[in-house]
Amino acid sequence: MRAFREAVEAGDMDAVEALLAEDVTFTSPVVFKPYAGRAVTAAILRTVAEVFEDFRYVREIGDPAGPDHALVFTARVGDRMLTGCDFLHVGEDGLIDDFTVLVRPLSGAQALAGAMGARFEQIAKEAEARSA
């Protein structure tokens, strides 16, 4: 999904949020239960953009005109390098309605979980403010 990739790479998190369906489901690589809704997903993505260093997409997989997309990325969290993939599904309205992230190795996932966990209260407050 070219528009999403370009928005992320430009750091334009408002544009990223605009590409999310109101009822998007976000599945985190470090939390068991998926998150539901644009407000919380946008808050998570804004925080991830702060946590990830040296983030870059390295490959796109899938038919650009199709509903399913995979964007492979590399990033660093502290001293831990990681590789991950954003799996996106786009609904008939052209908005992302399903967003799943996977990361490896385990040490990178653990660093990400720690960094995001430390900011969970901030994420919750931002999500609440955005949904109000």
Side-chain angles (χ1 to χ4, degrees), residues 15-90:
V16 169
E17 183 174 358
L19 293 168
L20 301 174
E22 188 64 40
D23 62 347
V24 64
T25 299
F26 179 80
T27 304
S28 164
V30 295
V31 177
F32 176 73
K33 184 179 174 185
Y35 295 93
R38 179 189 293 152
V40 69
T41 300
I44 291 167
L45 295 176
R46 287 177 194 280
T47 304
V48 167
E50 296 170 5
V51 168
F52 278 164
E53 299 173 65
D54 304 325
F55 177 90
R56 68 184 183 94
Y57 283 117
V58 295
R59 184 176 23 211
E60 290 183 47
I61 303 168
D63 176 359
D68 294 300
H69 307 273
L71 301 171
V72 180
F73 63 85
T74 60
R76 185 171 51 83
V77 178
D79 65 349
R80 299 293 178 188
M81 294 298 300
L82 58 89
T83 300
C85 192
D86 292 337
F87 293 98
L88 309 174
H89 181 271
V90 178

Side-chain angles (χ1 to χ4, degrees), residues 108-121:
Q110 289 170 329
L112 177 61
M116 292 298 289
R119 293 169 171 82
F120 186 77
E121 190 173 318

